[in-house]
Amino acid sequence: MYRKILITTDGSAVSSKTACAGVEFAQQLGAEVLALFVAPEYQYPIYVEIIPPSYPSEEEYRAAMQRAGNEHVQSILESCARKGVRAEGMTAFAESAALKIVDVAGQCGCDLIFIGSHGRSGWGQLLLGSVTNKVLSHAKIPVLVHRLIKDPRPA
């Protein structure tokens, strides 16, 4: 049915659980995986006349985000390896994570985007929820939205 599935991650615990479900789904279908972390573009500080010396340079920022992206994607790649699923990983930079997800899926020949309904908690949850909604509204390929269901049993 699907041959190449793009699985997104933002590095959060919820996103990691979604990625695990995506890898299992890919294994069941015999599909390969493209794991993607989208980092925000570098932002110069605004409303300041002089950039503080402690503020990272664009090169430092990009290197740090690339390392973070590699770590987040690596856990998905390791999960794929354990399950015998072919996989590759990528970190991309963009102003809009949603549009980059859709763009990468198209450029890399993915035929499904596997994304969580929400990643972080609190305000971050609203932000990632909006990313998911934007992916749904812009994608030209199917999008499978994975929703974690809380265990109704008391802890």
Side-chain angles (χ1 to χ4, degrees):
M1 180 180 235
Y2 298 110
R3 293 181 322 263
K4 189 170 187 179
I5 301 172
L6 185 144
I7 299 176
T8 63
T9 184
D10 65 6
S12 67
V14 172
S15 179
S16 295
K17 289 179 182 178
T18 295
C20 286
V23 170
E24 286 182 27
F25 185 69
Q27 180 188 33
Q28 291 170 0
L29 296 178
E32 64 182 277
V33 165
L34 171 60
L36 175 66
F37 173 79
V38 180
E41 289 284 2
Y42 180 77
Q43 298 285 319
Y44 286 98
I46 54 174
Y47 306 116
V48 295
E49 292 181 23
I50 299 172
I51 296 176
S54 62
Y55 200 80
S57 70
E58 186 171 357
E59 294 78 24
E60 292 168 333
Y61 169 80
R62 289 184 74 83
M65 292 309 291
Q66 186 69 51
R67 281 191 305 275
N70 290 346
E71 285 178 26
H72 300 319
V73 164
Q74 187 60 37
S75 64
I76 297 172
L77 298 178
E78 289 169 0
S79 178
C80 286
R82 284 191 301 274
K83 295 187 179 293
V85 174
R86 286 186 48 211
E88 62 181 302
M90 134 187 288
T91 296
F93 292 83
E95 294 283 331
S96 168
L99 296 179
K100 191 61 164 183
I101 291 166
V102 171
D103 185 47
V104 167
Q107 286 181 0
C108 295
C110 297
D111 45 19
L112 177 72
I113 298 171
F114 195 100
I115 190 168
S117 58
H118 296 87
R120 301 177 174 107
S121 60
W123 287 108
Q125 184 178 44
L126 292 174
L127 178 64
L128 190 61
S130 69
V131 169
T132 301
N133 284 331
K134 238 184 203 177
V135 168
L136 284 166
S137 65
H138 287 87
K140 304 236 186 306
I141 62 172
V143 178
L144 193 154
V145 179
H146 179 262
R147 183 170 175 203
L148 285 178
I149 299 171
K150 292 185 180 181
D151 190 348
R153 296 173 291 185

